[in-house]
Amino acid sequence: MAPVRFQDAIMTGMARDGGLLLPEHIPSVTDRLAAWRDLSYEDLAFEVMRLFADDLPEADLRDLINRSYATFRHPDVTPIRCVDGIHVLELFHGPTLAFKDVALQFLGNCFEYVLERRHCQLNVLAATSGDTGSAAISGLRGRRNIRIFVMHPHGRVSPIQERQMTSVLDDNVFNLAVEGTFDDCQRIMKTLFADLDFKDGYELGTVNSINWARVLAQIVYYFFGAFRVMRLTGASRVQIAVPTGNFGDIFAGYVAHRMGLPVSRLVLATNENDILARFFTTGDYSQGPVRATISPSMDIQVASNFERYLYYRVEQDPARLSALMKSFAVSGRLGLPPEGSRMDDTIVAGTANTVHTLETIREFHARHGYLLDPHTAVGVQVAREFHRPGEPMICLATAHPAKFGQAIIDATGQDLAHHPVLDALANLPTRCTLLPADDTAVREFMQQHIPR
Ligand SMILES: *Cc1c(COP(=O)(O)O)cnc(C)c1O
């Protein structure tokens, strides 16, 4: 396949042959680590991203980065908090209080930038079971040449998640409550994207987690967090634990490691939907049924970014990768031989079940007065199993606990998790359209709201 420039990569999302896009090569930055150690988040983001976004003028990239992270509520963007010897990297200070803001604020600015120069428009269609929808809406609201249509299963997302989406009243934001399940929403998405006349005629686009710009934006905080903790502790390398669903976040960490960030281990943590943990402990990647848990953003059985990791495991051989993915599509399973004595030199994995996750939240609060959201608690629980003295452990905190208040009540017996931004939602007006779980209804709605 012919190479794709950065701007085209972020606009198309997927490669034309149906595969995922990756940089042609991953640059080594080992000779720059010392110079990068004390940079601010924004300056570090510029240094990391410009290695990959080489078709953006430097001043423009700087401006995109500065505007993307000006919406965060903490001057460090992603600050480190030390609790119980664990370094919690708080990724939830963005507009919707979830780590997805780090990538989607940047992606929204990139879309607007490219569309303006190309005199094009983009109509984003998304399906959400909760967190992604509000982060995507926040990233795209009010932007020129973009409309966003977000389907959520009517009555099946949490009341807070629903309000975070439907209280956004910008003209370019359309919330669609579909009378069905999340699977129905995804099926409608697939049907509409397969309808090429509609897709091309109406300039349909996506913001899903396979977009390379999302991975790129996430690489930055691995560097930022590791540098901060190495400075704090004097250590020369760190371990990083990541609660995982689609393998997007941890893949960004894997790229940072390949660039030369001194990470001795990446600890992959799943909830009961443990396909990834099973792969990294036994080599077996086989799809099971999805189970609903208290960390719903990780209730995933087919991790869409896993394909990117596999590329490196098959010696960057596209033909071997394509054969593996085809056989997985047919049989729902895939196996690989281990790398030495383990499945991977860097990634280790474990699973935290609901009982242990609630207990971790309860204990962390009782002993340290610090509330973990249920996704972060999965990571912390598994990280503790892998703790080695003398080597700092960073745990990625992917959501503010107030987004998952019921889990906090279940864990502690008290309604402790609040955030003024979420509390204020209760009184805001909302807008949302109820539609049947039917692709024709969604197509017609979009046609009516996209001026031709
Ligand atoms: C999306 C999400 C995750 C999982 O991230 P992946 O990139 O899909 O692995 C974890 N925690 C929260 C709160 C999320 O919203």
Side-chain angles (χ1 to χ4, degrees):
M1 213 188 80
V4 177
R5 298 299 300 266
F6 177 75
Q7 291 190 34
D8 292 313
I10 65 173
M11 296 313 289
T12 44
M14 197 171 280
R16 293 198 74 80
D17 62 2
L20 304 188
L21 294 163
L22 276 170
E24 238 167 344
H25 77 278
I26 294 180
S28 165
V29 299
T30 42
D31 56 347
R32 280 171 249 200
L33 295 174
W36 285 4
R37 263 174 96 106
D38 299 321
L39 295 180
S40 69
Y41 190 93
E42 288 84 351
D43 288 345
L44 184 59
F46 173 72
E47 294 297 336
V48 171
M49 289 183 180
R50 74 172 173 163
L51 300 175
F52 298 92
D54 62 354
D55 60 347
L56 284 180
E58 294 197 341
D60 295 356
L61 177 61
R62 257 194 203 282
D63 179 59
L64 289 171
I65 291 168
N66 289 342
R67 284 193 285 122
S68 300
Y69 300 112
T71 58
F72 280 60
R73 295 183 181 84
H74 196 287
D76 277 349
V77 182
T78 61
I80 283 276
R81 282 279 297 266
C82 189
V83 191
D84 191 27
I86 283 178
H87 302 275
V88 181
L89 181 61
E90 294 183 342
L91 304 176
F92 52 71
H93 294 279
T96 74
L97 311 181
F99 93 99
K100 290 187 173 70
D101 290 329
V102 176
L104 285 164
Q105 292 291 311
F106 178 68
L107 187 64
N109 279 306
C110 286
F111 276 168
E112 189 176 53
Y113 174 88
V114 176
L115 292 169
E116 195 123 81
R117 270 152 198 81
R118 296 186 175 177
H119 306 288
C120 291
Q121 60 163 337
L122 186 69
N123 295 297
V124 168
L125 176 62
T128 186
S129 57
D131 267 6
T132 309
S134 55
I137 288 172
S138 169
L140 298 184
R141 66 186 294 181
R143 298 206 182 270
R144 290 178 296 260
N145 306 319
I146 301 181
R147 280 173 213 84
I148 177 164
F149 300 82
V150 177
M151 296 180 275
H152 69 263
H154 178 54
R156 291 173 199 249
V157 299
S158 82
I160 281 194
Q161 287 175 326
E162 184 182 325
R163 292 220 141 227
Q164 276 192 299
M165 295 190 280
T166 59
S167 62
V168 178
L169 301 181
D170 297 69
D171 289 342
N172 71 331
V173 174
F174 301 92
N175 278 289
L176 307 175
V178 170
E179 292 172 312
T181 61
F182 177 56
D183 288 343
D184 290 319
C185 298
Q186 282 192 308
R187 182 178 44 76
I188 293 170
M189 219 19 228
K190 278 202 185 125
T191 309
L192 295 187
F193 275 92
D195 177 350
L196 294 181
D197 285 341
F198 179 60
K199 176 178 178 280
D200 295 338
Y202 283 83
E203 286 133 324
L204 250 52
T206 68
V207 290
N208 53 28
S209 71
I210 57 166
N211 193 301
W212 170 249
R214 288 186 60 176
V215 176
L216 177 58
Q218 293 172 201
I219 294 172
V220 176
Y221 54 67
Y222 282 86
F223 279 92
F224 185 79
F227 287 146
R228 284 289 150 114
V229 169
M230 290 192 293
R231 244 166 56 193
L232 270 166
T233 61
S236 58
R237 49 185 210 166
V238 295
Q239 311 181 67
I240 306 181
V242 190
T244 308
N246 255 322
F247 207 79
D249 199 2
I250 193 163
F251 181 72
Y254 182 74
V255 176
H257 167 69
R258 289 188 78 99
M259 290 170 75
L261 185 69
V263 184
S264 63
R265 290 199 294 196
L266 285 166
V267 180
L268 179 152
T270 70
N271 63 26
E272 283 98 333
N273 297 288
D274 63 351
I275 178 168
L276 286 166
R278 273 187 282 120
F279 174 80
F280 284 100
T281 48
T282 69
D284 173 40
Y285 188 77
S286 61
Q287 211 177 333
V290 178
R291 280 192 272 167
T293 73
I294 56 169
S295 45
S297 298
M298 306 188 334
D299 292 349
I300 285 167
Q301 280 285 356
V302 181
S304 50
N305 272 291
F306 189 60
E307 181 179 340
R308 285 192 161 119
Y309 163 79
L310 283 177
Y311 176 68
Y312 295 99
R313 285 302 307 277
V314 298
E315 276 90 47
Q316 310 188 29
D317 178 347
R320 267 181 77 193
L321 176 62
S322 162
L324 267 182
M325 293 313 293
K326 280 202 184 104
S327 90
F328 178 72
V330 173
S331 65
R333 75 185 312 147
L334 166 166
L336 270 190
E339 209 174 44
S341 61
R342 295 215 310 251
M343 273 319 289
D344 187 282
D345 285 344
T346 315
I347 301 175
V348 293
T351 295
N353 64 28
T354 304
V355 172
H356 285 142
T357 305
L358 288 170
E359 175 54 21
T360 301
I361 296 172
R362 189 199 64 72
E363 187 214 314
F364 238 67
H365 176 255
R367 291 188 32 200
H368 313 291
Y370 188 87
L371 283 174
L372 299 165
D373 103 277
H375 304 78
T376 307
V378 165
V380 168
Q381 166 71 22
V382 174
R384 285 171 154 181
E385 290 165 28
F386 286 97
H387 207 63
R388 294 197 277 227
E391 197 165 305
M393 176 70 82
I394 299 175
C395 287
L396 302 198
T398 52
H400 190 283
K403 290 198 82 165
F404 300 95
Q406 189 55 49
I408 304 300
I409 295 173
D410 293 346
T412 64
Q414 299 170 71
D415 185 9
L416 297 169
H418 284 275
H419 191 286
V421 167
L422 300 181
D423 292 340
L425 291 176
N427 306 314
L428 295 179
T430 60
R431 191 179 70 227
C432 184
T433 305
L434 190 64
L435 288 179
D438 166 27
D439 55 274
T440 307
V442 175
R443 189 188 290 101
E444 280 173 2
F445 181 91
M446 292 180 73
Q447 285 167 335
Q448 282 158 17
H449 290 87
I450 299 173
R452 307 245 70 212

